[in-house]
Amino acid sequence: MNGEILRFDHVAAGYGQREVLRDVTLSIREGEFAGLIGSNGTGKSTLIKCVSGLLPLKRGSITICGKENTSLKSRQRAQIVAVVPQSYHVEYDFTVEDIVMMGRNPYLGFHKKEGQKDREIVTRAMEMTNTEVFCKRCYNELSGGERQRVILARAIAQQPRIILLDEPTSALDVHHQIEVMELITKLNREEHMTVLAVLHDINMASRFCQRMIMLKDGVVYTDGTPREVIDRPNMESLYDMKLMIRESPLFSKPEIVPIRVMEEEKTGVPLRIHIICGATEAVRLIEELDARGYTLTAGVLNKQSEDWNICQELGIRCVDIEPFTSVTLEKQAENLALMEDADIILVAGVPFGEGNIMNLHGLETRAGRLCIHQNALRRDYTDGKLSRQISHLEKTKQITYIKNNKSFFEILKNLEDPHRNGEAS
């Protein structure tokens, strides 16, 4: 990585009397691909406008390639910095080639026409963005994705050292979002352009950016690699919602999974519930029970299973074992100890095999009400051991069989309000 190319020192800016940026200090190094994230109104687009000279600062300074931004003339700045806005509209019927040629304006005098070198640069910019195939078409006739590629081509034709992007994919479908982000990544890697992009899609930013800068309340809230920035406290602070963080198995980058904004109705009787699970069957139920305020424990779970992941995200105590290993007597003893004070023991609809049948041993010694999901009975890979274990439990303990999550919540309501009639089974 080369040296510093863009610097913000205690930058404050806004509109009228309203300050959007209060005190932003950060440095962008040459060759970086940095994503600006933050909720609406935190100043991401405002920061881009400040760099491009469209919005004056109230306080502080911006340095571009070692020069104070206010000392640069518009033409000088445009030779260093190119801006790709969310959308770009023109009043006249310019062709695609005309629009891309506008990227050469910073290098042309008032009376100077473009030359062969300019035309070669424009042709290459269109080839890089795959826009040369419709270079003679009217820009206003293009689709949103095609227009965004044309504006990228115009930025490339400027031959800048820095490219600023203000939500470049916000109005595009998924195909064109990925296409545009791949083009930007190619510019960064092959043309060594420094990229500072305002992005709303955190998962997109995580996948493509080397660095993420989160703005909040007019300052830099956190700054680092995607793995350093994307954690639950930061993301829940950003979005004001419940979510979980997981590792993308395809890109090996953290990604967010939105869960809920509206709060679930809280239980008036926070029962203690122990859940026997360990695959993917209990994820939704665990999250919903947690959202409603129940006290949860779980086990024995294989590490890295989805049930284990949700417990880690929500801070739920559990007994766990390594992936692809079997539940031992020692681990089941821990499991039984964890459920000792549980009001309810729920066996989720998890498949049972030789590795996890031990989870059901000793349940007759626990006082909690035992509920078993009927799906667990249909997924028996134990050569009859599951049926025999269930028969043993039925002789020593009353079992309530449940069909689905809804019926389980009906049971909880009946336990919380004994005067309700009926009980789901």
Side-chain angles (χ1 to χ4, degrees):
M1 192 69 68
N2 296 320
E4 179 182 87
I5 194 170
L6 180 61
R7 181 172 184 81
F8 303 85
D9 284 301
H10 304 290
V11 166
Y15 308 92
Q17 298 300 312
R18 184 170 67 94
E19 277 194 0
V20 179
L21 301 174
R22 294 191 295 109
D23 187 5
V24 172
T25 296
L26 64 95
S27 172
I28 306 295
R29 299 181 70 81
E30 189 167 12
E32 277 194 306
F33 186 163
L36 273 176
I37 63 171
S39 57
N40 291 333
T42 55
K44 305 181 299 297
S45 296
T46 299
L47 200 66
I48 298 295
K49 290 177 182 176
C50 291
V51 179
S52 62
L54 294 176
L55 186 67
L57 304 185
K58 293 179 179 291
R59 295 185 303 278
S61 64
I62 296 174
T63 306
I64 303 174
C65 294
K67 297 180 180 179
E68 168 67 44
N69 195 18
T70 54
S71 71
L72 295 172
K73 295 180 180 180
S74 296
R75 187 179 297 272
Q76 292 174 306
R77 186 185 298 109
Q79 291 176 2
I80 305 171
V81 179
V83 180
V84 176
Q86 296 180 40
S87 59
Y88 181 73
H89 303 281
V90 294
E91 297 294 330
Y92 303 101
D93 291 333
F94 289 110
T95 66
V96 167
E97 192 172 29
D98 292 332
I99 296 293
V100 180
M101 185 61 75
M102 291 176 187
R104 300 305 300 158
N105 288 346
Y107 302 93
L108 303 176
F110 185 71
H111 295 292
K112 184 181 177 182
K113 299 278 280 184
E114 66 272 5
Q116 180 61 29
K117 180 183 177 182
D118 300 302
R119 286 189 287 273
E120 289 173 356
I121 291 170
V122 165
T123 298
R124 181 171 180 270
M126 290 191 293
E127 289 174 348
M128 289 180 64
T129 54
N130 198 26
T131 53
E132 80 282 1
V133 293
F134 46 76
C135 66
K136 299 301 181 184
R137 285 179 59 187
C138 179
Y139 172 80
N140 287 331
E141 296 175 355
L142 302 179
S143 69
E146 290 169 337
R147 289 188 188 191
Q148 202 69 340
R149 280 157 50 200
V150 171
I151 300 309
L152 265 176
R154 185 187 66 174
I156 294 168
Q158 280 182 238
Q159 294 187 306
R161 295 177 64 184
I162 304 169
I163 186 167
L164 308 175
L165 302 110
D166 190 0
E167 298 182 39
T169 62
S170 61
L172 304 180
D173 60 35
V174 173
H175 172 94
H176 291 102
Q177 287 178 23
I178 298 298
E179 181 181 45
V180 166
M181 293 303 293
E182 287 177 343
L183 280 170
I184 294 166
T185 302
K186 186 176 181 180
L187 288 175
N188 173 250
R189 291 177 180 172
E190 297 182 7
E191 303 299 316
H192 310 293
M193 282 189 194
T194 303
V195 178
L196 181 61
V198 173
L199 296 168
H200 264 309
D201 189 325
I202 297 298
N203 293 343
M204 196 79 75
S206 176
R207 174 178 169 181
F208 289 100
C209 297
Q210 304 156 355
R211 175 183 174 191
M212 295 174 68
I213 302 159
M214 178 177 163
L215 298 183
K216 184 180 180 184
D217 299 327
V219 300
V220 175
Y221 184 80
T222 187
D223 180 356
T225 65
R227 200 168 302 283
E228 292 168 335
V229 171
I230 300 178
D231 62 21
R232 277 190 69 209
N234 286 341
M235 295 299 101
E236 290 187 345
S237 172
L238 171 59
Y239 287 115
D240 191 23
M241 67 179 296
K242 189 175 183 179
L243 49 79
M244 65 178 289
I245 311 295
R246 67 181 182 189
E247 182 88 357
S248 167
L250 186 58
F251 305 111
S252 298
K253 295 288 188 70
E255 61 183 15
I256 67 169
V257 180
I259 297 175
R260 66 177 74 251
V261 174
M262 297 178 65
E263 290 282 344
E264 281 283 354
E265 181 181 352
K266 297 293 185 181
T267 176
V269 183
L271 299 169
R272 297 176 61 86
I273 303 172
H274 183 85
I275 304 174
I276 294 173
C277 48
T280 63
E281 304 304 318
V283 173
R284 181 66 184 271
L285 181 62
I286 290 171
E287 187 282 320
E288 192 168 349
L289 288 169
D290 177 75
R292 294 191 183 196
Y294 294 101
T295 301
L296 305 180
T297 53
V300 176
L301 312 180
N302 283 103
K303 292 180 180 179
Q304 307 308 323
S305 68
E306 292 301 321
D307 289 351
W308 183 84
N309 284 332
I310 192 69
C311 288
Q312 302 308 301
E313 284 291 327
L314 300 178
I316 294 169
R317 291 175 61 202
C318 65
V319 179
D320 56 29
I321 55 177
E322 294 301 318
F324 308 110
T325 59
S326 298
V327 180
T328 62
L329 284 170
E330 290 77 15
K331 282 295 180 180
Q332 182 59 4
E334 290 182 36
N335 199 24
L336 291 169
L338 195 57
M339 68 179 85
E340 185 173 6
D341 297 327
D343 300 297
I344 297 175
I345 300 165
L346 170 64
V347 179
V350 61
F352 277 94
E354 295 293 340
N356 67 339
I357 187 65
M358 181 63 71
N359 268 328
L360 302 181
H361 285 240
L363 296 189
E364 68 276 6
T365 67
R366 304 296 87 172
R369 179 170 182 166
L370 180 58
C371 298
I372 298 179
H373 200 296
Q374 291 177 354
N375 281 350
L377 306 181
R378 302 187 189 103
R379 305 168 75 183
D380 182 1
Y381 303 99
T382 64
D383 195 25
K385 290 182 181 179
L386 176 63
S387 297
R388 291 193 291 274
Q389 182 63 30
I390 296 295
S391 296
H392 169 71
L393 288 171
E394 286 178 332
K395 294 175 182 177
T396 56
K397 193 173 183 66
Q398 182 179 352
I399 299 176
T400 301
Y401 292 99
I402 63 172
K403 295 181 293 186
N404 48 42
N405 291 354
K406 182 179 179 181
S407 64
F408 182 64
F409 280 107
E410 283 295 316
I411 291 170
L412 295 181
K413 287 181 181 178
N414 285 320
L415 289 174
E416 293 167 9
D417 183 3
H419 300 293
R420 293 178 84 244
N421 291 323
E423 184 174 287
S425 62

